[in-house]
């Protein structure tokens, strides 16, 4: 999301920096003159102070009292307009601010604030005119240039927006919001390297602003670095350290940056050469890699979807256990060894292992068990090596490791591999059983996710500011028309998995209450633990089957079902159940597999059936290795471009799922018609895809036309590689 300077914040939000400066200045002026009575002056000063302190509702009451006595008090009209805008009363804000500029045509700040109100009302051309009037009065008004840029960007005039942002920065070079906005606009123009420079400047100026970090993260997604500086490594490490961030899309750009690190690059080249064991000593390699904070950080928090890195880590893990069993290791390699144990736990031990390694792992387990059982010291190196091959919490003696004093990365290994799984186990009794699970397909799907909760994640991207449903969705991709947001929306997330979806939704929508339902208790306990960890209190988790939800006696304002219907025995029947739970006029966000985009998956599933692989741990690993070794079938080999290829639960979900349906857009259109749902538009985040679509379909209404997107997908089969994500409304 992009920070828009002076745009209307959510109700109850604190005034922005410019508004606080304006309020402070007016407070210092005392609002005397024009024959104002002292009580009116005092009321206005108090209103300004309340507004400055972040209490727009109380301030507005006083502004109204002042205006009841002095209807021509221009400052009260201006700041009353801003307070109305803060509270979401857009129509009243426009009226107040129009009155202010009529009374004082030279009031630059009132013209700027009027532009903000008109922008919030969707009257973009009028907003642009108001900003230009503010600039005409005060040519040094950097914020007005910034705000004009946001309107020009919304109007699709990207080059003009860039020019306006540059003018703002020429006046105020340290205006962080403008650096962020300029970066976002350059992204839309496809100038990602230029955009990144502005995003990095924005986070340097405003490191506490989540929106700036979000902008930088989005900008990084398509980038591949051919060079990298220490300062870039530091910025990327700071980005990964943010508490809430969607990480999947950052792996490839971060790994490409790390590819320019001399030692990491050297080790990758030795691995590619085919005989790393002749050139690499584990202790030396681990010590040097452990001195790269960016590498350790990304290893600790997300599966790394890169085949070359996987080959390097697979070799290093083997070398680690060999040197551990030979007693050759010391403490210098612990930082990397602990990070490798965390990486393997997060990807659910998807790396291949040899028969010799299996024997070594069993010996290591027995050695560690004997030490723990006899109350002997356990070297951290043993814990790291064993944790890189097997989840520690599965061992009967693992709980005793909690009694030891650990530090550094090993402490995090103990937390992640023992403490947290134990917490999840204790939460199982707290999950409410909402419906029975009687459908045979649902039972089989539940068993899959009990064995492999999907997906295992450490961080997820939640919104830093909740908005109304209307404010969150209204834009060029959706036809919302006269939709009005409920004040306290009740939301159902049908098939919440391990909680990422529920948390994003709960953080997105203002005053929302979310019911998150899933078949799998293992997934739900993971979700509940992460929800407690992040401090969310507006999500209720329950176990249930979509096919049975019609019996719960509730209705919802919004239902989200992401990537779930296509795993039901009867997808249309399940969808019909959800429609029955939706209030008239309510919204749905649905995600379904694309028949066109998943052809490599279809072919790979046929290959799996032909070869007779079973959905067991051993067969899944063997299947992965066979696919990685394939040279004769490029379509099946393409499976390795899916990020799902790089963790066990996701790979199983991708290729070994017990039930999968795929859809075409004409089939979806027919389903919408039969269910009496109105298509609103696709939720497409990839700016490159949007630019390409707009170029081929510039006509009005094309973005919300399924038939136009169907034409586009047939020519661009990877358009919906993840899924069709779309919004619809109950008629």
């Amino acid at each position: 999301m992009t920070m828009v300077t002076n745009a209307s914040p959510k109700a109850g939000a604190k005034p922005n920096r410019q508004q606080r400066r304006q309020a402070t200045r007016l407070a210092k002026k005392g609002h005397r003159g024009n024959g104002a009575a002292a009580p009116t002056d005092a009321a206005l000063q108090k209103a300004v102070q309340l507004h400055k302190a972040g209490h727009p509702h109380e301030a507005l009451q006083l502004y109204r009292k002042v205006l009841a006595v002095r209807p021509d008090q221009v400052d009260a009209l201006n700041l009353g307009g801003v307070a109305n805008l803060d509270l979401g009363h857009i129509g009243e804000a426009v009226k107040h601010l129009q009155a202010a500029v009529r009374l004082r045509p030279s009031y630059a700040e009132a013209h700027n604030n009027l532009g903000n109100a008109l922008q919030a009302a969707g009257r973009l051309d009028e907003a642009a005119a108001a900003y230009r009037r503010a600039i005409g009065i005060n040519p040094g008004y950097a914020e007005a240039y910034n705000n004009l840029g946001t309107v020009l960007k919304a109007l699709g005039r990207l080059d003009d927006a860039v020019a306006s942002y540059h003018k703002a920065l020429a006046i105020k070079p340290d205006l962080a919001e403008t650096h962020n906005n300029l970066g976002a606009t350059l992204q839309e123009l496809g100038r990602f390297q230029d955009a990144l420079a502005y995003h990095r400047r924005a986070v340097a100026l405003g490191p506490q602003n989540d929106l700036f970090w979000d902008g930088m993260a989005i900008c990084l997604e398509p980038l591949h670095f051919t060079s990298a500086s220490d300062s870039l490594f530091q910025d990327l490490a700071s980005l990964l350290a943010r508490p809430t961030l969607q990480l999947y899309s950052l792996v490839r750009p971060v790994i490409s940056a790390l590819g320019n690190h001399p030692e990491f690059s050297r080790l990758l080249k030795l691995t590619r050469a085919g005989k790393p064991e002749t050139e690499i000593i584990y202790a030396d390699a681990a010590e040097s890699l452990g001195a790269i904070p960016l590498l350790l950080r990304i290893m600790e928090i997300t599966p790394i979807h890169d085949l070359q890195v996987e080959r390097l880590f697979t070799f290093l893990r083997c070398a680690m256990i060999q040197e551990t069993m030979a007693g050759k290791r010391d403490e210098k390699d612990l930082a990397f060894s602990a990070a490798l144990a965390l990486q393997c736990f997060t990807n659910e031990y998807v790396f291949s292992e040899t028969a010799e390694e299996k024997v070594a792992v069993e010996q290591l387990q027995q050695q560690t068990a004997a030490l723990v059982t006899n109350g002997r010291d356990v070297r951290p190196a043993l814990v790291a090596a064993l944790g890189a091959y097997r989840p520690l919490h599965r061992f009967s003696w693992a709980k005793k490791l909690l009694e030891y004093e650990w530090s550094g990365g090993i402490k995090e290994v103990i937390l992640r591999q023992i403490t947290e799984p134990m917490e999840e186990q204790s939460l199982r009794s707290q999950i409410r059983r909402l419906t029975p699970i009687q459908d045979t397909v649902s039972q089989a799907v539940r068993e899959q996710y009990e064995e492999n909760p999907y997906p295992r994640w450490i961080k997820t991207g939640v919104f830093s500011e909740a908005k109304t449903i209307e404010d969150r969705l209204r834009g060029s991709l959706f036809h919302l028309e006269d939709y009005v947001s409920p004040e306290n929306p009740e939301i159902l997330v049908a098939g919440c998995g391990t909680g990422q979806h529920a948390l994003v939704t709960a953080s997105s929508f203002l005053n929302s209450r979310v019911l998150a339902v899933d078949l799998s208790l293992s997934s739900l306990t993971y979700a509940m633990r992460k929800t407690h960890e992040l401090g969310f209190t507006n999500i209720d988790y329950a176990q249930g089957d979509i096919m049975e939800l019609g019996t719960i006696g509730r209705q919802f304002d919004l239902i989200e079902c992401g990537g779930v219907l296509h795993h039901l025995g009867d997808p249309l029947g399940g969808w019909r159940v959800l429609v029955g739970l939706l209030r008239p006029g309510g919204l749905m966000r649905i995600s379904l597999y694309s028949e066109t985009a998943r052809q490599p998956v279809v072919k790979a599933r046929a290959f799996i059936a032909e070869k007779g692989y079973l959905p067991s741990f051993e067969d899944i690993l063997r299947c992965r290795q066979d696919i990685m070794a394939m040279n004769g079938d490029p379509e099946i080999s393409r499976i390795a471009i899916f990020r799902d290829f790089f963790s066990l639960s996701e790979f199983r979900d991708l290729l070994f799922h017990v039930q999968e349906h795929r859809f075409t857009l004409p089939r979806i259109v027919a389903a919408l018609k039969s269910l009496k749902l109105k298509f609103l538009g696709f939720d497409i985040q990839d700016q490159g895809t949007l630019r390409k679509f707009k170029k081929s379909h510039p006509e009005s209404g094309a973005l919300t036309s399924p038939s136009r997107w169907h034409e586009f997908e047939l020519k661009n089969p990877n358009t919906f590689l993840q899924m069709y994500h779309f919004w619809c409304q109950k008629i």
Side-chain angles (χ1 to χ4, degrees):
M1 295 178 292
T2 302
M3 172 64 117
V4 179
T5 307
N6 299 336
S8 176
K10 67 180 181 179
K14 293 183 179 180
N16 62 38
R17 187 164 49 195
Q18 180 192 339
Q19 292 163 357
R20 290 196 300 270
R21 284 199 300 266
Q22 185 178 357
T24 301
R25 189 191 68 253
L26 291 174
K28 288 178 179 177
K29 284 170 60 177
H31 300 289
R32 295 192 180 274
N34 299 324
T40 304
D41 287 350
L44 190 52
Q45 287 184 49
K46 185 175 180 181
V48 169
Q49 291 165 357
L50 286 167
H51 203 165
K52 179 183 174 184
H55 303 289
H57 180 78
E58 292 84 348
L60 182 58
Q61 301 306 313
L62 288 174
Y63 291 139
R64 286 173 175 163
K65 288 182 179 179
V66 171
L67 290 170
V69 177
R70 294 280 309 279
D72 61 347
Q73 220 303 336
V74 178
D75 290 331
L77 285 167
N78 174 47
L79 290 176
V82 173
N84 273 299
L85 190 56
D86 290 346
L87 294 166
H89 307 154
I90 297 171
E92 285 299 308
V94 170
K95 289 178 184 177
H96 276 69
L97 292 160
Q98 284 175 334
V101 298
R102 275 198 305 270
L103 288 167
R104 190 187 297 169
S106 62
Y107 201 166
E109 287 169 333
H111 283 290
N112 178 70
N113 292 334
L114 176 58
N116 295 338
L118 292 167
Q119 183 181 172
R123 295 158 63 178
L124 300 183
D125 289 317
E126 294 174 74
Y131 294 134
R132 289 193 177 98
R133 284 192 290 271
I135 291 166
I137 297 164
N138 178 7
Y141 203 162
E143 290 82 2
Y145 275 115
N146 175 76
N147 294 340
L148 176 59
T150 65
V151 169
L152 293 170
K153 179 174 180 282
L155 289 167
R157 296 169 56 183
L158 301 183
D159 290 324
D160 291 338
V162 168
S164 191
Y165 291 136
H166 278 304
K167 288 176 180 176
L169 292 176
I171 298 165
K172 286 189 177 180
D174 290 344
L175 202 58
E177 295 90 342
T178 305
H179 284 281
N180 187 66
N181 292 341
L182 178 52
T185 308
L186 291 170
Q187 284 179 59
E188 288 202 28
L189 288 166
R191 295 166 55 186
F192 293 101
Q193 290 285 358
D194 293 337
L196 181 60
Y198 286 102
H199 284 299
R200 292 178 67 191
R201 182 62 179 154
V203 299
L205 292 166
Q208 301 308 312
N209 192 316
D210 289 335
L211 295 177
F212 297 166
W213 291 101
D214 290 345
M216 179 177 165
I218 293 168
C219 182
L220 282 165
E221 290 180 20
L223 288 177
H224 181 87
F225 294 98
T226 56
S227 64
S229 63
D230 288 343
S231 65
L232 176 63
F233 287 150
Q234 291 167 5
D235 283 351
L236 293 175
S238 297
L239 179 66
L240 295 182
R242 303 299 296 175
T244 53
L245 188 71
Q246 183 61 267
L247 295 169
Y248 294 132
S249 57
L250 295 178
V251 172
R252 287 198 168 99
V254 168
I255 293 299
S256 77
L258 284 166
N260 295 282
H261 188 284
E263 182 62 10
F264 188 60
S265 175
R266 182 183 75 84
L267 293 170
L268 284 176
K269 287 176 183 175
L270 288 172
T271 308
R272 280 196 296 269
K275 291 190 176 180
E277 61 275 6
T278 63
E279 301 284 346
I280 300 176
I281 298 172
Y282 178 77
D284 294 341
E287 184 179 356
S288 61
L289 293 177
I292 309 174
L294 177 61
L295 175 63
L296 297 183
R297 191 61 188 151
I298 198 161
M299 289 175 67
E300 291 165 356
I301 58 180
T302 184
I304 296 178
H305 39 276
D306 184 287
L307 288 176
Q308 291 298 329
V309 174
E310 177 173 332
R311 291 184 179 108
L312 172 61
F313 286 174
T314 301
F315 166 76
L316 289 174
R317 184 176 71 159
C318 181
M320 174 174 65
I321 198 166
Q322 289 173 349
E323 295 190 14
T324 300
M325 297 308 294
K328 295 180 180 178
R329 293 189 44 207
D330 58 33
E331 300 299 308
K332 294 180 181 178
D333 64 39
L334 271 181
F336 177 79
S337 300
L340 184 56
L342 291 172
Q343 171 67 196
C344 294
F345 181 71
T346 303
N347 70 32
E348 298 152 292
Y349 304 95
V350 81
F351 296 163
S352 65
E353 57 184 66
T354 64
E356 291 78 9
E357 285 174 276
K358 287 182 171 64
V359 171
V361 171
E362 180 57 28
Q363 292 173 346
L364 180 59
Q365 188 276 136
Q366 292 175 5
Q367 178 183 340
T368 310
L371 291 170
V372 171
T373 303
N374 294 318
R376 304 278 299 279
D377 287 343
V378 179
R379 289 187 298 124
L382 299 182
V383 175
L386 189 56
Y389 279 92
R390 302 289 183 267
L392 297 176
H393 67 90
R394 297 276 179 88
F395 298 119
S396 59
W397 44 263
K399 191 174 181 180
K400 290 184 178 295
L401 288 177
L402 299 177
E403 300 171 7
Y404 289 71
E405 291 291 332
W406 305 104
S407 61
I410 299 299
K411 186 175 182 179
E412 185 67 20
V413 171
I414 297 295
L415 172 68
R416 198 89 60 82
Q417 294 204 22
I418 302 177
T419 305
E420 291 179 351
M422 288 175 56
E423 181 183 345
E424 289 165 27
Q425 189 64 32
S426 71
L427 290 171
R428 292 178 77 89
S429 62
Q430 298 181 30
I431 302 293
R432 179 163 55 108
R433 273 56 167 192
L434 191 63
T435 75
I437 302 171
Q438 301 177 119
D439 180 84
T440 54
V441 172
S442 297
Q443 290 172 349
V445 172
R446 177 189 61 188
E447 289 310 307
Q448 175 179 328
Y449 291 129
E450 292 293 1
E451 293 174 10
N452 295 105
Y454 169 86
R456 183 180 297 280
W457 57 278
I458 309 303
K459 291 188 175 187
T460 195
V462 298
F463 287 89
S464 58
E465 178 188 16
K467 296 183 178 181
T468 67
I469 296 175
E470 181 181 5
D471 286 345
R472 181 67 69 196
L473 300 187
R474 191 171 294 283
S476 59
L477 296 186
F478 304 112
H479 273 324
L480 289 178
E481 295 181 356
D482 57 353
Y483 176 80
V484 177
S485 302
E487 203 168 303
N488 302 102
E490 294 182 77
I491 301 174
L492 171 66
V493 175
C496 66
T498 52
Q500 283 181 305
H501 188 165
L503 284 159
V504 170
T505 299
S507 66
S508 178
F509 300 114
L510 189 66
N511 301 325
S512 62
R513 190 79 211 173
V514 176
L515 172 63
V517 178
D518 200 82
L519 293 166
S520 161
L521 278 178
S522 295
S523 298
L524 287 163
T525 55
Y526 195 103
M528 184 177 281
R529 176 179 64 77
K530 295 298 287 185
T531 300
H532 292 167
E533 179 184 307
L534 291 171
F536 281 79
T537 58
N538 60 331
I539 307 174
D540 299 316
Y541 288 103
Q543 185 184 35
D545 184 357
I546 287 175
M547 302 303 297
E548 304 283 347
L549 288 180
T551 64
I552 66 174
R554 288 186 61 181
Q555 284 202 308
F556 300 89
D557 303 293
L558 169 62
I559 296 176
E560 299 195 22
C561 188
V564 177
L565 292 176
H566 49 230
H567 292 316
L568 299 181
D570 179 7
L572 193 60
W575 198 351
R576 186 172 289 109
V577 170
L578 295 180
V579 172
L581 298 171
L582 190 63
R583 293 190 173 106
L587 303 183
M588 273 190 165
R589 185 181 187 269
I590 300 293
S591 302
L592 297 167
Y593 286 149
S594 161
E595 182 74 54
T596 302
R598 280 182 80 82
Q599 282 310 298
V601 174
V602 172
K603 195 160 188 179
R605 287 175 69 94
F607 167 76
I608 287 167
E610 177 189 342
K611 297 294 183 182
Y613 298 106
L614 298 174
S616 65
F617 178 76
E618 294 76 13
D619 268 19
I620 289 174
L621 294 193
R622 185 165 61 88
C623 176
R624 269 189 96 248
Q625 292 305 306
D626 290 346
I627 289 174
M628 289 166 66
M630 290 182 75
N631 295 316
D633 194 324
E635 193 160 21
I636 293 180
S637 298
R638 282 185 63 234
I639 287 295
I641 72 171
F642 286 73
R643 69 172 184 242
D644 310 64
F645 190 80
F646 295 88
S647 80
L648 190 75
S649 64
E650 294 181 62
F651 184 79
R652 183 176 180 182
D653 189 85
L654 178 70
L655 296 184
F656 284 83
H657 205 288
V658 296
Q659 180 72 59
E660 175 175 317
H661 298 270
R662 294 168 300 278
F663 291 77
T664 64
L665 284 174
R667 184 182 170 194
I668 289 173
V669 169
L672 290 168
K673 184 177 180 180
S674 72
L675 294 169
K676 294 182 172 53
L677 294 170
K678 175 185 175 183
F679 180 79
L680 299 178
F682 287 107
D683 191 350
I684 295 178
Q685 302 299 318
D686 181 24
Q687 294 299 314
T689 296
L690 284 175
R691 283 195 302 274
K692 190 173 182 179
F693 180 86
K694 289 175 182 178
K695 186 175 181 180
S696 63
H697 293 86
E699 64 272 20
S700 175
L703 280 170
T704 53
S705 169
S707 62
R708 294 289 183 268
W709 279 103
H710 180 55
E711 295 170 12
F712 183 80
E713 184 186 18
L714 293 177
K715 296 176 182 176
N716 303 274
N718 288 339
T719 300
F720 298 101
L721 189 62
Q722 296 300 323
M723 279 181 278
Y724 298 116
H725 301 293
F726 60 92
W727 289 83
C728 49
Q729 184 175 23
K730 188 171 183 178
I731 299 171

